[in-house]
Amino acid sequence: PDDLRKLVNQGHNHGIKFYIEYINLHTDKLHNYYLTNPHWYIENDSLLDNFSIRKLDYSNIDLVEQISSDILFLMREYDMDGFSITHHSNMDELNSKFNKFKSNNGIEFLKIIESNQLTARPNSKNSKSNSYYDIDLYKAARDHFSGFNPDFVKLNGLIQKSLDKYGPVNLMINTTSTQKDERFITLADYNDFLNSDLTPSAMSYKKLSMFMTMNYSLPGIPLIFYGEEFGHQGDVGVDSKRDMKFHRALNDLEKKLKARASILNRIRN
């Protein structure tokens, strides 16, 4: 905890902001929530056919209270600048608690909602957040750059639609992978990556590099899901959240992609 506080403090001194990506839809069955409050979970549910993962039930108001308390504690304790959560069935209740916290403390922070149910422009009167994932563009870009279903006309049309809808300056999220999907490098290489020893082709890394370059050239917030900067592998669901690899564990292709991501960050800043 002290190391994290030091990191955030030093980052703030250099103009860097920090956001929590809070996994709010499920936990492991060994999590304290499940052990002490099993009624907070959907009964007889086994998320993604994984018997160790349990899906949270947001119809339970006590759960909503606990989740909001957890997020706000992390915000206060570590001086975070915002958070990201996935859309769920009780967003109104959760959102009211965050708004109350903002009002009582006189602070502003960034709320990012990962959702394909966007019904209001971010920061508008009816919006529950000031930032959302641009899901339609994300899906089309993944299909295009991976080679799964390339369609430049469709992609260009969605970019223009996004510009028309959200404007040239906005807080929409542009990313190459999310926690719900297989990693882009897995999609691009058409292989079964349950075996972590398999290495994607050099072309797959180039595809991911082009995808990241597009995201960094668009208005909004270019977001790198952890490990995408070097082409982390992983199938749909839990497998997409493999342990992080650091520089010494990267192969030459991964190091090259990571260097390109660093260049994009410097240019964008």
Side-chain angles (χ1 to χ4, degrees):
D2 289 337
D3 287 342
L4 179 56
R5 290 188 187 92
K6 184 177 180 180
L7 174 66
V8 172
N9 183 58
Q10 291 183 350
H12 283 163
N13 290 337
H14 290 84
I16 299 173
K17 295 183 181 296
F18 293 82
Y19 306 96
I20 307 162
E21 182 172 7
Y22 190 93
I23 307 303
N24 64 299
L25 296 186
H26 60 270
T27 73
D28 188 271
K29 67 179 182 181
L30 297 179
H31 194 284
N32 187 55
Y33 284 1
Y34 188 76
L35 296 176
T36 58
N37 298 282
H39 57 286
W40 288 0
Y41 293 76
I42 296 177
E43 189 175 359
N44 298 323
D45 175 76
S46 181
L47 188 65
L48 303 175
D49 296 322
N50 187 308
F51 292 102
S52 69
I53 303 297
R54 292 293 182 266
K55 189 174 182 179
L56 292 160
D57 180 6
Y58 274 88
S59 66
N60 188 304
I61 194 64
D62 290 334
L63 170 65
V64 176
E65 181 70 34
Q66 184 63 57
I67 294 295
S68 62
S69 176
D70 287 351
I71 293 174
L72 294 176
F73 169 80
L74 292 169
M75 294 274 292
R76 290 190 298 262
E77 187 73 10
Y78 298 103
D79 196 21
M80 295 290 179
D81 301 287
F83 61 89
S84 171
I85 57 174
T86 303
H87 185 277
H88 57 76
S89 58
N90 208 349
M91 283 300 301
D92 288 338
E93 182 67 26
L94 197 63
N95 196 55
S96 68
K97 294 183 181 298
F98 294 139
N99 287 339
K100 183 178 180 180
F101 174 79
K102 290 171 64 176
S103 177
N104 290 343
N105 292 275
I107 62 173
E108 289 293 328
F109 52 79
L110 185 68
K111 287 184 295 181
I112 302 171
I113 307 296
E114 183 181 339
S115 173
N116 57 4
Q117 304 177 37
L118 179 58
T119 57
R121 180 171 175 167
N123 276 330
S124 68
K125 181 178 179 181
N126 296 322
S127 176
K128 297 181 176 63
S129 176
N130 46 17
S131 185
Y132 288 86
Y133 283 69
D134 198 334
I135 293 294
D136 290 340
L137 181 57
Y138 161 74
K139 290 180 177 179
R142 274 173 65 93
D143 285 350
H144 178 79
F145 286 106
S146 69
F148 181 75
N149 185 21
D151 189 338
F152 186 78
V153 173
K154 178 182 179 180
L155 182 63
N156 187 59
L158 284 170
I159 291 173
Q160 187 59 56
K161 181 180 178 181
S162 181
L163 289 170
D164 292 340
K165 186 173 184 178
Y166 305 119
V169 179
N170 62 68
L171 295 176
M172 296 299 290
I173 300 293
N174 299 307
T175 187
T176 56
S177 291
T178 71
Q179 58 174 304
K180 292 182 177 180
D181 300 315
E182 68 266 60
R183 294 289 186 154
F184 177 83
I185 205 81
T186 301
L187 177 66
D189 213 59
Y190 301 104
N191 278 321
D192 179 4
F193 283 96
L194 294 179
N195 180 352
S196 60
D197 293 331
L198 294 175
T199 302
S201 68
M203 180 55 69
S204 294
Y205 289 98
K206 291 180 180 179
K207 292 176 179 178
L208 180 50
S209 177
M210 288 187 290
F211 192 176
M212 287 194 294
T213 300
M214 184 199 78
N215 285 343
Y216 273 79
S217 67
L218 293 174
I221 303 173
L223 183 146
I224 297 180
F225 185 41
Y226 84 93
E228 286 291 288
E229 68 275 14
F230 61 80
H232 213 1
Q233 304 172 27
D235 210 337
V236 176
V238 176
D239 191 55
S240 71
K241 305 175 187 67
R242 296 182 183 182
D243 290 344
M244 184 65 171
K245 291 168 59 177
F246 295 96
H247 193 73
R248 292 182 179 179
L250 304 183
N251 63 40
D252 288 342
L253 290 172
E254 291 171 333
K255 290 177 181 177
K256 187 174 182 180
L257 178 63
K258 183 171 178 284
R260 290 176 177 173
S262 295
I263 291 172
L264 289 174
N265 279 328
R266 288 195 294 271
I267 293 174
R268 181 73 183 222
N269 291 332

